[in-house]
Amino acid sequence: MSEMLEKILSDNNIETAYKRVYANKGAGGIDGVTINELEEYMKEHWESIKEEIRERKYKPQPVLRVEIPKPNGGVRKLGIPTVIDRVIEQAITQVLTPIFEPIFSENSYGFRPNRRCEQAIIKLLEYFNDGYVWIVDIDLEKFFDNVPQDKLMSYVGKIIHDGDTESLIRKYLKAGVMNKGRYETTEIGTPQGGNLSPLLSNVMLNELDKELESRGQRFTRYADDVVIVLKSKAAATRVMYSITNWIEKKLGLKVNATKTKITPPSKLKYLGFGFWKDKGTWKARPHQDSVMKFKRKLKALCKRNWSIDLTYRIKKINEVIRGWVNYFRIGSMKTILQKIDEHLRTMIRVIIWKQWKVPKKRLWGLKKLGVENWLAHKVAYWGDCYQKVATKSIVTRAISKEILTKRGLISISDYYQKVAHI
């Protein structure tokens, strides 16, 4: 058996892979084994699975097809491998990543160690501010579903030269999917949702990176989101047609002709960001679609009919706030966050008012917050005019930002000031 496969199956590597998979949680696959049962399952089956892999007899199980609705319509098809297959895929990824990393492009930012989305945005802003303001925005149609497996494996083989490992990877590509109880073969594509897919997508699209670099083009790529920047519309048009042709002929991928376009920065949506010019300088901020999505998430967590303890609700709201602000922290968004903050506090006040339910409890609550007796009496009998109470009464001052902060609620704009690059 090959040295590389031994490295993949080594106790240390498998233990690290197990810990990663366990930490990421997630649903079980078609065998019904959950993440919490994984340790027990491995104790019982790992030695025999390892032998099967060594003898090239192991067969990964089909992935479970899950369809996630996209905000703008359509669905994203995810394939959920079994938890044991996630561990094996993760173990392969851990050994192959250091081999592929040195050959990957400086302009590729997705699914790579010590690289993240904001670096791609910063690079793009550099290009814009250097005058490269005509963008070829390439849309690869259902990239993960359409990857030609033979081409992909030939690129993998050129670098790793290891038949045992290549055979195992190919088995994962060919494992098939269970879609609503029916088995479907997978002759093309790499399942989006597997631990190996991000690395394999970079191996495939590294060929595009190399082609663009050989042509002297400026570009950024994050997974299958590729934008090329040029100084004139005519040059952008030329590049769009020639590179689309190259992608389809050389890589065997489909380019979505209706979504691939030439655009100025102000019309671009890239990795959730929009772009605007401020005193002659291009800057980034969350795209309006991203802002709307954020607002919808907060609104869903503030549903009045969700009977949940306020402490738990605030904990979930804080998780969403931290995640969103950390992702968009390089964006200019102070004003918009102040407005969202105010609206969020209004929604929380409504929740508290509803939880107090009856005038007696409302009177008690207001007085406890220091409202004078006569004023508390007046407001306590306003009834269920929630918006009016939360925006046009003493409740706004009584349940103040400071009170909500003490209760544990993060101020979105304060958190942004703390983590932002400003």
Side-chain angles (χ1 to χ4, degrees):
M1 189 182 64
S2 75
E3 199 179 310
M4 185 177 285
L5 198 61
E6 277 302 337
K7 204 171 173 186
I8 288 166
L9 298 175
S10 71
D11 291 348
N12 278 351
N13 192 49
I14 292 295
E15 190 182 343
T16 305
Y18 164 79
K19 284 176 180 168
R20 288 261 178 91
V21 169
Y22 187 82
N24 288 336
K25 302 296 179 191
I30 64 162
D31 62 356
V33 178
T34 67
I35 204 82
N36 293 324
E37 296 162 342
L38 176 57
E39 188 178 8
E40 203 53 48
Y41 183 89
M42 286 187 74
K43 276 179 190 167
E44 201 175 323
H45 300 283
W46 177 243
E47 285 308 315
S48 61
I49 289 171
K50 189 157 68 169
E51 272 318 300
E52 283 179 15
I53 292 171
R54 282 181 172 140
E55 292 165 13
R56 292 199 186 186
K57 287 178 182 170
Y58 181 70
K59 275 192 78 175
Q61 296 192 62
V63 298
L64 181 64
R65 167 71 76 236
V66 176
E67 294 185 347
I68 309 288
K70 290 184 182 176
N72 53 355
V75 291
R76 175 174 282 110
K77 292 178 181 177
L78 291 186
I80 301 175
T82 61
V83 285
I84 188 66
D85 281 326
R86 293 217 282 277
V87 172
I88 299 166
E89 285 191 45
Q90 180 60 35
I92 298 168
T93 304
Q94 286 165 189
V95 170
L96 295 195
T97 296
I99 296 167
F100 280 104
E101 264 303 301
I103 67 163
F104 285 160
S105 166
E106 272 300 304
N107 300 295
S108 148
Y109 297 92
F111 306 134
R112 293 181 62 192
N114 306 316
R115 286 181 160 249
R116 52 193 187 278
C117 156
E118 68 181 43
Q119 293 167 314
I121 299 298
I122 289 165
K123 192 65 181 168
L124 208 48
L125 287 172
E126 272 178 36
Y127 290 146
F128 294 166
N129 288 314
D130 284 344
Y132 294 87
V133 291
W134 286 101
I135 302 144
V136 180
D137 184 8
I138 295 170
D139 187 279
L140 295 171
E141 194 172 310
K142 295 178 181 167
F143 167 71
F144 286 90
D145 297 337
N146 288 324
V147 170
Q149 292 176 0
D150 287 343
K151 264 202 169 73
L152 169 61
M153 288 311 301
S154 75
Y155 298 142
V156 170
K158 272 181 201 167
I159 304 300
I160 70 170
H161 310 292
D162 185 85
D164 285 338
T165 305
E166 288 167 50
S167 165
L168 185 57
I169 293 170
R170 195 179 279 276
K171 281 178 180 173
Y172 276 102
L173 294 174
K174 299 274 182 212
V177 299
M178 288 299 286
N179 191 2
K180 295 170 187 163
R182 288 178 57 206
Y183 175 78
E184 294 171 7
T185 58
T186 46
E187 297 306 319
I188 58 166
T190 169
Q192 199 173 352
N195 295 51
L196 195 49
S197 283
L199 175 63
L200 294 180
S201 71
N202 274 335
V203 171
M204 187 77 193
L205 291 174
N206 187 50
E207 299 301 312
L208 172 60
D209 298 344
K210 287 196 295 194
E211 176 64 18
L212 289 170
E213 282 166 358
S214 73
R215 295 181 182 199
Q217 300 296 352
R218 286 160 178 79
F219 68 98
T220 68
R221 181 175 69 77
Y222 190 96
D224 57 333
D225 282 319
V226 191
V227 290
I228 308 163
V229 293
L230 297 109
K231 283 197 167 174
S232 74
K233 192 174 182 179
T237 306
R238 259 195 327 273
V239 167
M240 183 174 80
Y241 287 115
S242 70
I243 206 68
T244 294
N245 193 35
W246 185 90
I247 289 168
E248 298 195 334
K249 281 210 169 109
K250 288 285 165 72
L251 297 184
L253 294 167
K254 291 177 186 173
V255 176
N256 187 326
T258 53
K259 289 186 179 174
T260 295
K261 58 187 182 296
I262 291 159
T263 180
S266 56
K267 300 262 177 72
L268 178 69
K269 178 187 175 186
Y270 188 61
L271 305 177
F273 283 84
F275 303 90
W276 60 300
K277 211 166 191 181
D278 180 35
K279 296 171 189 161
T281 303
W282 284 104
K283 292 183 177 178
R285 62 184 167 199
H287 192 273
Q288 59 194 33
D289 292 352
S290 306
V291 173
M292 289 304 294
K293 200 173 168 187
F294 181 44
K295 286 179 177 175
R296 279 198 299 271
K297 273 190 178 175
L298 293 176
K299 192 177 178 183
L301 289 169
C302 292
K303 278 195 301 195
R304 296 203 296 267
N305 60 2
W306 186 28
S307 303
I308 196 79
D309 171 58
L310 187 63
T311 305
Y312 180 74
R313 196 190 290 262
I314 286 173
K315 177 178 173 278
K316 299 313 280 182
I317 289 168
N318 287 346
E319 284 171 10
V320 168
I321 291 169
R322 283 195 194 97
W324 196 87
V325 173
N326 285 342
Y327 182 86
F328 287 107
R329 63 185 179 165
I330 59 164
S332 310
M333 52 183 178
K334 192 175 168 185
T335 311
I336 186 74
L337 290 189
Q338 284 168 344
K339 286 180 185 169
I340 297 172
D341 243 344
E342 282 167 26
H343 187 57
L344 175 61
R345 287 195 285 270
T346 297
M347 290 192 289
I348 302 271
R349 287 177 192 121
V350 168
I351 289 163
I352 293 168
W353 191 249
K354 186 171 187 254
Q355 281 179 349
W356 286 345
K357 282 183 181 172
V358 292
K360 193 177 172 185
K361 184 85 185 281
R362 286 167 178 171
L363 186 62
W364 166 85
L366 290 170
K367 283 163 76 174
K368 196 178 174 199
L369 289 167
V371 177
E372 294 163 18
N373 194 30
W374 68 272
L375 194 48
H377 261 282
K378 192 176 175 184
V379 177
Y381 289 89
W382 272 20
D384 293 344
C385 310
Y386 297 123
Q387 285 304 115
K388 190 178 172 188
V389 166
T391 55
K392 292 189 167 62
S393 78
I394 191 65
V395 170
T396 312
R397 284 211 309 276
I399 306 173
S400 61
K401 178 186 169 183
E402 289 68 34
I403 291 288
L404 289 173
T405 302
K406 275 184 189 167
R407 195 71 175 76
L409 181 71
I410 290 175
S411 156
I412 309 171
S413 44
D414 289 356
Y415 185 71
Y416 167 63
Q417 303 263 23
K418 192 172 130 187
V419 301
H421 297 181
I422 51 176

